[in-house]
Amino acid sequence: MRASRTTPFSRVSAVVLGVLVAVLAYAPYAVSRGTQTQLVLLFCYVLMGTMWNLLAGYGGMVSVGQQAYIGIGSYGLVTIADQMGVPAVLAVPLAGVAAGAVAWVTSFLVFRLAGGYFAIGTWVVAEVLRLVFTQVDGLGAGAGVSVGAYGDLGPAYRIAVVYWLALATTVLSVFGVYLLMRSRTGLGLTAVRDDPVAASSLGVGVAGAKRLVYVAAAVGCGMAGALIASNTLRVQPESAFSINYTAVMMFVVVIGGIGAIEGPILGAVLYFLLERELSHFGAWYLVLLGIVVVAFTLVLPKGLWGLVAGPRRQVFPVGLTVMRS
Amino acid sequence: MTLLRLDDLNVHYGDFHALRGISLSIDEGETVAVIGANGAGKSTLLRTIAGLNAATSGEISYRGQPVDRLPAHRRVALGISLTPEGRRLFPSLTVEENLLTGAARSRPGPWSLRAVYDLFPLVEERRNRIAARLSGGEQQAVAIGRSLMSNPALLLLDEVSLGLAPVVVDQVYAALPKVVASGTTVLLVEQDVHRATAVAGRLHCLLAGRTALQGAVDSVRYEQIVAAYFGQAEAA
Amino acid sequence: MNLVNAVVQGVLLGGLYALLAAGLSLIFGVMRLVNLAHGAFAVTAAYGSLTLVQHLGWHPLMTLAVVVPVFAAAGFGLQRGVLTRAATRGPLTPLLVTFGLAVIVESLLLTGFSADSRTLPTGQLSVASVRLTGTVSVGVLPLLTFAVGVVAVLGLQWFLFRTPAGRLMRATSDDREAARIVGADDRRVFATATAIALGLVAVAGVFIGMRGTFAPSSGAGVLLFAFETVVIGGLGSLWGTLAGGVLLGVAQLLGAAIDPAAGVLAGHVVFLVVLAVRPEGLFPKAVIA
Ligand SMILES: Nc1ncnc2c1ncn2[C@@H]1O[C@H](COP(=O)(O)OP(=O)(O)O)[C@@H](O)[C@H]1O
Ligand SMILES: [Mg+2]
């Protein structure tokens, strides 16, 4: 017997994933601009879901205020690229860093609230940011601003650049979360989540790890916000700081599967398809999403990935699996 | 008359078989002591009788009626009251409030706030104190008082001496004869064999979830008890 | 004098916030559960009242007689049917479930009533006022709202500390299993707490509707104000809740007096300042928690 992270399943999936990423990277040469724009949205869902899963599934923190960092990322892109003249390719990660910095500061406030009150506290922070940005005349106040960063690229090239940026950001972020969860910090967090008492008696440092996760999730959401702004070319406080982003993240994680890296990827794809097919039903579509969240949480708490996964069936093997060799 | 009867009782925690085929019958007015080492299943036995744990098989009948399916709060109404291990007072409530919660499903009987205060005069002095701020002995007295407030016919006492200084244990046990005299049947868990044999008429010794020995206190020899307690093959 | 007026109005608004916060606080205090659908439920009550007003021609105050019991019953059922299950699944589950409920409720209101802002017509009540000094006069409706808030907080305090049922509720909150062995039906106790909380929410919702406008999306703001009130006042302290509501109300109306767009923001800022300098709240005595 030996202990190993990888399994035959994970090795095969790694190859499949590699091929998939390569195919996706080639897509701008093969599919229409409209499809690329759609896929950027899908990538953003994967990114946002992955971040929310990092928070809730691994860090045990339910935030309903992640829209704060989407908004910071969107406005960050405008500020860093348009107003400071940094190339967009750099502006997207920098917008993420800006969101992370804001998160680091606010963590000292919201971490004073436990559990459910933490959730609402994060929401207040998002609301404060929304109201503040509504007042900033330099950023168009309530009416918002247009994104000019990609102005000197032609439309076809711009869309392809945003597409590659989104793909790269998402793939790297998912991989980054995977590495984080394999690290000592990540395994400590998983231990805390699974058994807080035992973990604390083993001396797992919780507070620092949680802050790290909170900031990392904000960086990811910030980049998602920058990408969304790059995709729509318009940033407006009402929509950039909309609670709907958090609702999407929650949905993606809950149907995909909380506490597994694969979960939000699966959930994002499902959400993306559902939205395409059903969003014209308007409010009834939202009713359906709410019902699905409640039903999954109560009946299938591990999500759809939970039906598939087993200790040996992980695309991203985080823990160790004992194998007979 | 038989008050409580356990018939081939089995209890599991998940896969763990905590009680294995326990049978026990207690007559009205008796005092029975359950003894056994740590982890033998004593608390599980009392909790199952009180309705906090569900039996996987077997039967519990009380006054001839099966009570297996009744939730804990309904068993209280029938006269079964548990003074749990670790006392489990309501920490944010005052002493008096703790006692009054015990009367939530009170049956008619001798016990009242007044009677409990007479039994434990110290408790009366502390009546307005928050339970969290009591000493261990005071907490134990309140916990017993809370049970008595329901006027139980069957009082289940789980390790009332746990964590208390011997003098304090003496004070707590001094109340027991009065409780028994009021007509209450007592099933108590006690790690200290000497104390158990001093107060109980009968012993029931558990070893790893099984009955290792049972019988009237004066019919079992001390060596037998020690053997059953520690699971040694009985020395001749 | 404008500022004095803002303070007076803010104090009165605080009664409404205390009313809202009392329900949130009760559910949290007894069950350790944060109900993210709290605001959505309040708004639903306002729509419920509106429906009765429109179809039966009742005064909104009269609709309380129907809306409150209906909400209390719904709360009982909600606890029994959904939240009990949610609570046994770890701390994340109730949040996901109540957030999902908030989305469902808000979206249903949207399908039923459109996104337009509405208000509950109160007739004479909306114009009646009492003159306090030469320049400060207060409306009868805000005064009534404040009184209802104070009575609700007092009533809840009385129930929890002066009645056997309230005592058992606090006991169950302390130690659920120990409550079962003194004869409390813990699930029933929890359901009763939720019923009371939703009854309070319903009252608050109807008063929100009478005092101003509401739309399906108003629930978020309502939840945040209720939450800020709880935290400013100190978790679990009912008196603190009243003080927290007053502080929040005054902050909002003073802010709005200075810049009409800054009212809500001023409230949030006061909340954040309290969180930064006094995270245990102004009155941290844990009474129901
Ligand atoms: N909640 C529980 N979950 C799992 N196992 C338990 C639980 N409670 C007790 N046990 C196990 O059941 C056995 C009997 O426990 P208990 O009845 O508390 O013993 P005693 O009271 O005799 O010390 C022990 O091995 C203990 O570890
Ligand atoms: Mg024990």
Side-chain angles (χ1 to χ4, degrees):
Chain A
M1 291 212 302
R2 66 198 166 86
S4 163
R5 280 212 173 87
T6 57
T7 60
F9 183 85
S10 76
R11 282 191 286 272
V12 171
S13 353
V15 174
V16 172
L17 269 181
V19 172
L20 181 67
V21 170
V23 168
L24 285 172
Y26 183 74
Y29 300 105
V31 302
S32 73
R33 292 180 205 168
T35 307
Q36 289 173 51
T37 307
Q38 288 276 303
L39 285 173
V40 170
L41 200 59
L42 171 61
F43 298 154
C44 288
Y45 291 158
V46 172
L47 182 53
M48 296 188 314
T50 299
M51 293 306 137
W52 204 81
N53 183 44
L54 176 63
L55 271 178
Y58 290 116
M61 293 173 274
V62 171
S63 161
V64 285
Q66 286 311 97
Q67 66 273 21
Y69 306 114
I70 301 281
I72 293 289
S74 298
Y75 276 103
L77 179 83
V78 173
T79 314
I80 295 166
D82 290 10
Q83 304 190 342
M84 294 162 61
V86 175
V89 182
L90 280 178
V92 169
L94 284 176
V97 171
V102 173
W104 187 75
V105 174
T106 54
S107 73
F108 288 93
L109 285 176
V110 290
F111 277 25
R112 296 182 159 196
L113 298 160
Y117 282 157
F118 167 83
I120 316 185
T122 59
W123 197 349
V124 173
V125 169
E127 277 301 289
V128 167
L129 290 171
R130 180 179 68 82
L131 291 168
V132 167
F133 276 92
T134 312
Q135 304 287 318
V136 179
D137 292 327
L139 289 168
V145 282
S146 292
V147 178
Y150 302 89
D152 38 3
L153 308 174
Y157 194 46
R158 176 190 75 79
I159 289 171
V161 165
V162 171
Y163 176 90
W164 279 317
L165 211 47
L167 178 62
T169 306
T170 304
V171 169
L172 290 177
S173 300
V174 170
F175 196 65
V177 168
Y178 170 56
L179 291 183
L180 177 63
M181 293 332 293
R182 279 177 59 146
S183 71
R184 267 188 71 86
T185 308
L187 293 175
L189 273 176
T190 318
V192 173
R193 177 195 65 187
D194 295 342
D195 190 347
V197 180
S200 70
S201 71
L202 291 173
V204 173
V206 189
K210 283 199 161 189
R211 179 159 288 127
L212 175 69
V213 159
Y214 186 68
V215 170
V219 172
C221 287
M223 292 193 292
L227 291 167
I228 289 169
S230 306
N231 211 26
T232 58
L233 296 179
R234 180 97 202 138
V235 181
Q236 197 254 330
E238 288 299 326
S239 57
F241 290 100
S242 166
I243 180 75
N244 289 346
Y245 286 119
T246 289
V248 169
M249 295 181 213
M250 215 182 258
F251 183 88
V252 160
V253 172
V254 168
I255 57 165
I258 194 164
I261 292 173
E262 299 86 346
I265 301 176
L266 177 64
V269 172
L270 289 170
Y271 178 75
F272 177 73
L273 297 174
L274 266 181
E275 190 184 36
R276 276 174 60 118
E277 299 305 319
L278 300 176
S279 64
H280 63 273
F281 286 108
W284 284 111
Y285 163 69
L286 297 174
V287 174
L288 175 75
L289 293 189
I291 290 174
V292 170
V293 165
V294 173
F296 267 72
T297 307
L298 292 178
V299 181
L300 206 60
K302 292 252 162 247
L304 290 174
W305 182 254
L307 294 177
V308 181
R312 282 154 195 237
R313 238 178 290 146
Q314 291 185 327
V315 180
F316 298 100
V318 168
L320 293 171
T321 308
V322 176
M323 316 240 311
R324 259 167 241 281
S325 54
Chain B
M1 201 191 111
T2 306
L3 183 65
L4 180 77
R5 192 185 173 84
L6 309 181
D7 203 13
D8 196 18
L9 197 68
N10 286 283
V11 177
H12 289 79
Y13 293 107
D15 288 339
F16 179 70
H17 202 161
L19 287 183
R20 300 163 181 256
I22 305 296
S23 296
L24 167 67
S25 156
I26 302 175
D27 286 343
E28 232 163 299
E30 259 195 305
T31 298
V32 178
V34 179
I35 58 172
N38 251 331
K42 307 179 296 293
S43 296
T44 305
L45 179 66
L46 260 53
R47 290 169 53 88
T48 308
I49 297 169
L52 293 181
N53 288 6
T56 13
S57 68
E59 195 172 303
I60 307 173
S61 59
Y62 175 80
R63 293 194 200 282
Q65 300 293 318
V67 293
D68 308 85
R69 306 206 162 275
L70 291 185
H73 63 267
R74 300 272 305 276
R75 298 192 200 185
V76 178
L78 292 178
I80 301 177
S81 179
L82 171 66
T83 307
E85 185 176 294
R87 312 184 265 269
R88 302 286 286 270
L89 296 182
F90 304 114
S92 78
L93 271 58
T94 65
V95 166
E96 186 151 309
E97 285 179 327
N98 264 283
L99 293 175
L100 288 170
T101 59
R105 304 230 173 201
S106 181
R107 306 169 335 127
W111 296 104
S112 62
L113 215 45
R114 188 65 261 151
V116 170
Y117 286 152
D118 288 343
L119 185 65
F120 299 112
L122 216 80
V123 168
E124 185 168 21
E125 285 173 34
R126 305 271 186 269
R127 61 196 292 176
N128 291 320
R129 194 172 283 195
I130 297 293
R133 299 222 188 91
L134 296 179
S135 72
E138 291 164 350
Q139 285 192 12
Q140 191 60 66
V142 176
I144 295 172
R146 184 178 69 181
S147 273
L148 292 174
M149 289 292 285
S150 68
N151 278 303
L154 175 62
L155 179 61
L156 308 168
L157 296 174
D158 197 348
E159 298 216 32
V160 293
S161 50
L162 193 73
L164 302 185
V167 210
V168 183
V169 179
D170 287 339
Q171 290 166 5
V172 171
Y173 267 101
L176 203 55
K178 291 179 205 161
V179 174
V180 173
S182 74
T184 312
T185 306
V186 178
L187 178 60
L188 65 94
V189 165
E190 179 54 70
Q191 290 239 10
D192 180 340
V193 176
H194 292 290
R195 243 180 233 291
T197 49
V199 295
R202 264 195 315 133
L203 288 181
H204 195 107
C205 186
L206 292 182
L207 176 68
R210 284 199 176 82
T211 303
L213 175 74
Q214 60 173 325
V217 165
D218 41 22
S219 76
V220 293
R221 282 176 297 118
Y222 186 68
E223 302 81 66
Q224 280 181 302
I225 299 175
V226 173
Y229 199 104
F230 295 107
Q232 293 144 349
E234 201 182 330
Chain C
M1 270 305 109
N2 203 4
L3 291 187
V4 174
N5 205 23
V7 170
V8 172
Q9 301 299 338
V11 169
L12 297 183
L13 183 58
L16 179 61
Y17 290 160
L19 184 58
L20 270 172
L24 193 67
S25 199
L26 180 65
I27 291 186
F28 180 77
V30 176
M31 283 162 285
R32 300 279 130 194
L33 186 149
V34 171
N35 173 19
L36 294 178
H38 193 72
F41 288 158
V43 175
T44 308
Y47 278 105
S49 173
L50 181 69
T51 308
L52 292 173
V53 168
Q54 285 175 337
H55 288 85
L56 304 175
W58 288 7
H59 191 277
L61 285 177
M62 223 166 108
T63 67
L64 286 171
V66 175
V67 175
V68 173
V70 166
F71 266 67
F76 198 92
L78 180 72
Q79 178 63 36
R80 269 317 220 341
V82 180
L83 298 183
T84 299
R85 286 192 67 167
T88 57
R89 298 274 179 80
L92 303 189
T93 312
L95 292 169
L96 294 172
V97 167
T98 55
F99 189 83
L101 284 176
V103 171
I104 295 170
V105 166
E106 180 181 331
S107 308
L108 282 175
L109 291 176
L110 206 54
T111 63
F113 296 94
S114 85
D116 300 341
S117 283
R118 313 298 283 270
T119 184
L120 293 173
T122 51
Q124 287 301 316
L125 202 54
S126 61
V127 288
S129 67
V130 184
R131 185 164 292 269
L132 290 186
T133 68
T135 51
V136 180
S137 69
V138 294
V140 170
L141 183 57
L143 215 49
L144 179 65
T145 315
F146 182 76
V148 169
V150 173
V151 167
V153 168
L154 278 177
L156 200 52
Q157 186 92 6
W158 174 82
F159 167 75
L160 286 169
F161 289 87
R162 294 279 177 270
T163 68
R167 187 165 57 223
L168 219 49
M169 198 170 275
R170 285 184 293 131
T172 310
S173 160
D174 269 2
D175 187 335
R176 204 171 164 179
E177 196 173 76
R180 292 170 61 198
I181 56 175
V182 299
D185 180 349
D186 54 338
R187 296 195 309 152
R188 195 184 176 82
V189 169
F190 281 6
T192 306
T194 311
I196 295 171
L198 282 215
L200 291 170
V201 162
V203 177
V206 171
F207 276 92
I208 288 171
M210 289 193 292
R211 289 198 44 152
T213 61
F214 56 95
S217 60
S218 306
V222 170
L223 171 68
L224 296 190
F225 298 157
F227 158 74
E228 289 174 339
T229 300
V230 171
V231 174
I232 293 173
L235 289 190
S237 156
L238 282 172
W239 284 115
T241 296
L242 200 53
V246 166
L247 193 63
L248 183 65
V250 170
Q252 287 183 348
L253 294 194
L254 270 182
I258 294 158
D259 175 355
V264 172
L265 185 57
H268 290 326
V269 169
V270 166
F271 158 75
L272 291 177
V273 168
V274 169
L275 195 56
V277 302
R278 216 182 142 81
E280 69 279 21
L282 299 181
F283 298 87
K285 187 164 168 273
V287 186
I288 41 177

